[in-house]
Amino acid sequence: MQPGYHPQQQPPPINNNMTMSIVAIFLFWPLAIPAIINASKVNPLLQQGDYAGAQAAAAESRKWSKWALIVGIAWYAIFLVCCALGGLGAIMSSDNSSY
C-alpha cells in the first residue's frame, strides 16, 4: 500500500423492500406496482455507484408499499365488517319473517 492511500469504504447495503412490495401486491395492487418498480431500481443504482439514488428509490418503494398495505388492510376490514353486518341483517330479517 502506498502512504496516504485510503481504500474506499463500501456504503452499507440498502434494503430494497422487494418482499414488502410483493406482499403488498396481494392486498392492493394499484399502489404496490410503483413499489415494485422502485424496489427493482435499488440494486442497479448501487452497482452504478449512485448511493443517493438507491436510497431515494428504496424510500419510494417503502412509501408505496406501506400505503398499499394500509389501504389493502383497511379495504379488507371494511369488507369483512360489511359482510358480517349483512349476514347479521339477513339473520335478523329471517327471524322476523317466520312469525
Side-chain angles (χ1 to χ4, degrees), residues 3 9-10 16 26 28 40-42 44 52 55-56 60 62-63 67-68 70 73 79 84 87 92 96 98:
Q9 291 181 338
Q10 291 286 56
N16 61 7
F26 293 108
F28 195 71
S40 67
K41 292 179 183 179
V42 173
Q55 281 183 320
E60 283 292 307
R62 191 176 317 111
K63 176 185 76 171
W67 276 110
I70 290 167
I73 290 170
F79 177 77
M92 296 296 272
N96 291 339
S98 63

Side-chain angles (χ1 to χ4, degrees), residues 19-76:
T19 305
M20 187 165 61
S21 301
I22 291 172
V23 169
I25 206 160
F26 293 108
L27 293 174
F28 195 71
W29 66 267
L31 294 179
I33 290 174
I36 290 175
I37 291 170
N38 281 299
S40 67
K41 292 179 183 179
V42 173
N43 291 340
L45 287 171
L46 278 177
Q47 290 172 351
Q48 294 172 4
D50 186 3
Y51 190 73
Q55 281 183 320
E60 283 292 307
S61 174
R62 191 176 317 111
K63 176 185 76 171
W64 286 108
S65 295
K66 284 182 181 180
W67 276 110
L69 291 171
I70 290 167
V71 170
I73 290 170
W75 181 260
Y76 283 113

